[in-house]
Amino acid sequence: MTIAAPEPPRSNAATWEVIPLGRGAWRISDGSRKQTDPGRLVAYVDRNETGTLEVLWLRSPCPTRSRYRNLEELLADLDTAVAAGVNPSRGTRPNEIPHFPPA
């Protein structure tokens, strides 16, 4: 049995490859990288019961959101994050929380 997913929309940057994995699931890859490059895989996308898309980001830079209404919005956000170079370092400390001595 073969399940065909609708053709996904294309990004304006045309470097993202959106590969359908089944009904309501996609894999996003960076078309500018070689097939053997592990950094080629960008994200996995799943449509949940409510119709929203949930994204598992696999590399940086990536958007800070993980839920989207549609693929066009997701790809636009991805383009913006890559253009801005959003790459939060996990090695740096988060914002400091003020600590007060016990009363």
Side-chain angles (χ1 to χ4, degrees), residues 25-102:
W26 297 269
R27 178 178 67 214
I28 300 176
S29 299
D30 187 347
S32 65
R33 296 192 179 207
K34 294 181 181 179
Q35 287 282 18
T36 57
D37 185 356
R40 179 179 174 87
L41 189 56
V42 176
Y44 284 108
V45 182
D46 243 345
R47 186 178 311 276
N48 63 20
E49 310 83 44
T50 62
T52 58
L53 302 177
E54 294 190 14
V55 184
L56 173 64
W57 297 110
L58 300 173
R59 75 162 212 210
S60 291
C62 67
T64 55
R65 292 175 52 191
S66 61
R67 290 197 175 136
Y68 294 90
R69 290 187 194 108
N70 53 46
L71 283 171
E72 292 91 359
E73 182 183 23
L74 185 152
L75 293 174
D77 206 15
L78 180 58
D79 286 337
T80 303
V82 169
V86 176
N87 192 6
S89 173
R90 293 179 186 253
T92 60
R93 296 182 68 151
N95 296 338
E96 288 293 324
I97 300 172
H99 290 81
F100 301 102

